[in-house]
Amino acid sequence: MTEAILLVGGKGTRLRPLTVHTPKPMVRAAGVPFLTHQLARARAAGVEHIVLATSYLAEVFEPYFGDGAALGLHIEYVTEDEPLGTGGAIRNVAGRLRSGPDDPVLVFNGDILTGLDIRALVDTHETTGADVSLHLTRVADPRAYGFVPTDGTGRVLAFLEKPQTPEEIVTDQINAGAYVFRRSVIDTIPADRPVSVERETFPGLLAAGAHLQGMVDSTYWLDLGTPAAFVRGSADLVLGRAPSPAVPGRCGDRLVLPTARVAPDAKVTGGTVVGEGAFVAEGARISGSTILPGAVIEPGAVVTDSLIGTRARVGERSVLTGTVIGDGAVVGADNELREGVRVWCDARIPAGALRFSSDQ
């Protein structure tokens, strides 16, 4: 296997306001665009040629990654005029592939952080002679996902929608968003219309008697679709819980990037990232958070499990827990923001305007 397709066309609506100006795969995790981690792991597994299937804010990708040479890759870009879904996006880039009909092509989603052994998935695909092989992972509560039951040899038996009753929970195995396709199978996906691999392609192949193989790999896996998950994923990369050769520094309790400034008595822990040009002032306490480039955390502020956007500002003594502050937004002094709050880009919250507890 020497080539892959990376699906990076989603709008990232669940991550807004992080994705107002930035496509989801380009939001920074552990100091670099999340996509960098995926590209680096693919290269480490032997991939040389990657086609990015882009759509939303497609113009952002190529100026950053160029031809991929800096990562030891050859990267090409294909943009959808209209969103085509997962299957449609795969089919749309097929003309850029160089593989022969029986060669394996790696396909993975642009919003999954995983420790998957990519080579093992490819080896499983080749040794079983499968048409498509899927990375499956086990989750403690599978009710939010579609199930993928397999037989004793790992062959996929069905694709089941999210369960409505406890009796419908027949396995804890779910589709983890990474696949190996036989190249010729990609050409069978209908062209020029939206197609979902999960709802149409895979069930259709199964019904036609194709061999779909599942490989369970329950190492680190996280869907970065929500702000809370994205912040957690970034912290896990910094802490070394999630593997990536692209973290720009040593794994540890914090990652402070060049040109960032942290006051000597500020406390920065829990896998926090302080981006380029950002400033954490005296007495501030930051834990498990992402501070994007150019942001300012003023004296005495407390930021926990939150993401502070590019050039945003958190005022003195403000307390933020589980919140997202959009690019350029300003949270005035003495505010208190708790789990789930999203402050939109360039918004202004006056000093002392929002609290969840008494001002005493």
Side-chain angles (χ1 to χ4, degrees):
M1 179 199 63
T2 61
E3 65 181 352
I5 298 169
L6 196 59
L7 305 176
V8 293
K11 290 185 175 181
T13 52
R14 291 185 296 159
L15 281 176
R16 287 169 71 89
L18 300 180
T19 51
V20 170
H21 305 301
T22 306
K24 176 168 52 176
M26 296 298 288
V27 177
R28 289 178 176 245
V32 297
F34 175 67
L35 179 56
T36 308
H37 299 290
Q38 293 184 306
L39 293 172
R41 293 198 73 245
R43 182 67 191 94
V47 173
E48 298 173 357
H49 176 223
I50 291 186
V51 185
L52 296 188
T54 67
S55 180
Y56 176 65
L57 296 176
E59 67 277 7
V60 173
F61 295 94
E62 189 167 3
Y64 189 91
F65 292 107
D67 63 2
L71 291 170
L73 292 163
H74 175 59
I75 298 177
E76 294 188 68
Y77 305 83
V78 177
T79 301
E80 303 164 21
D81 295 326
E82 297 291 336
L84 294 172
T86 48
I90 293 168
R91 181 66 177 85
N92 191 51
V93 307
R96 300 293 183 93
L97 298 175
R98 305 165 181 172
S99 303
D102 291 326
D103 290 339
V105 177
L106 177 69
V107 178
F108 49 116
N109 289 326
D111 55 2
I112 301 295
L113 177 59
T114 176
L116 167 68
D117 185 337
I118 297 172
R119 288 302 324 173
L121 181 62
V122 176
D123 290 344
T124 295
H125 178 80
E126 293 179 332
T127 57
T128 60
D131 295 299
V132 181
S133 297
L134 298 85
H135 170 209
L136 307 179
T137 192
R138 292 189 173 99
V139 294
D141 184 359
R143 290 175 296 175
Y145 305 94
F147 301 156
V148 186
T150 55
D151 67 14
T153 68
R155 189 160 182 155
V156 173
L157 299 174
F159 292 89
L160 305 176
E161 289 299 317
K162 297 175 183 178
Q164 303 300 313
T165 65
E167 292 74 24
E168 293 180 87
I169 301 177
V170 296
T171 181
D172 59 357
Q173 296 175 175
I174 66 166
N175 179 353
Y179 321 111
V180 178
F181 277 75
R182 187 190 301 272
R183 169 67 178 84
S184 58
V185 174
I186 292 175
D187 293 328
T188 68
I189 299 173
D192 301 320
R193 70 168 176 85
V195 180
S196 165
V197 289
E198 299 87 355
R199 295 181 176 85
E200 181 176 346
T201 304
F202 292 157
L205 286 169
L206 205 60
H211 179 179
L212 277 69
Q213 186 73 21
M215 188 195 82
V216 177
D217 182 323
S218 293
T219 53
Y220 186 98
W221 183 86
L222 185 64
D223 178 349
L224 300 184
T226 66
F230 202 96
V231 171
R232 176 180 151 201
S234 177
D236 285 347
L237 283 162
V238 174
L239 292 167
R241 295 171 180 166
S244 171
V247 176
R250 287 187 176 183
C251 292
D253 212 25
R254 70 182 195 175
L255 176 62
V256 179
L257 295 178
T259 72
R261 294 179 297 141
V262 177
D265 67 342
K267 188 175 183 181
V268 179
T269 61
T272 291
V273 181
V274 184
E276 296 93 337
F279 175 53
V280 179
E282 60 272 13
R285 289 180 289 147
I286 319 293
S287 176
S289 297
T290 296
I291 313 300
L292 291 182
V296 174
I297 311 299
E298 294 187 357
V302 179
V303 180
T304 304
D305 299 337
S306 297
L307 191 146
I308 312 302
T310 302
R311 302 179 310 282
R313 179 177 292 265
V314 177
E316 295 183 63
R317 298 174 301 279
S318 281
V319 177
L320 280 60
T321 303
T323 64
V324 175
I325 309 301
D327 296 341
V330 176
V331 178
D334 299 306
N335 280 291
E336 183 183 1
L337 308 181
R338 291 189 179 176
E339 284 82 356
V341 170
R342 305 185 191 206
V343 177
W344 229 247
C345 299
D346 300 313
R348 298 289 188 271
I349 298 179
L354 294 175
R355 298 193 66 82
F356 284 79
S357 60
S358 166
D359 61 359
Q360 301 300 313

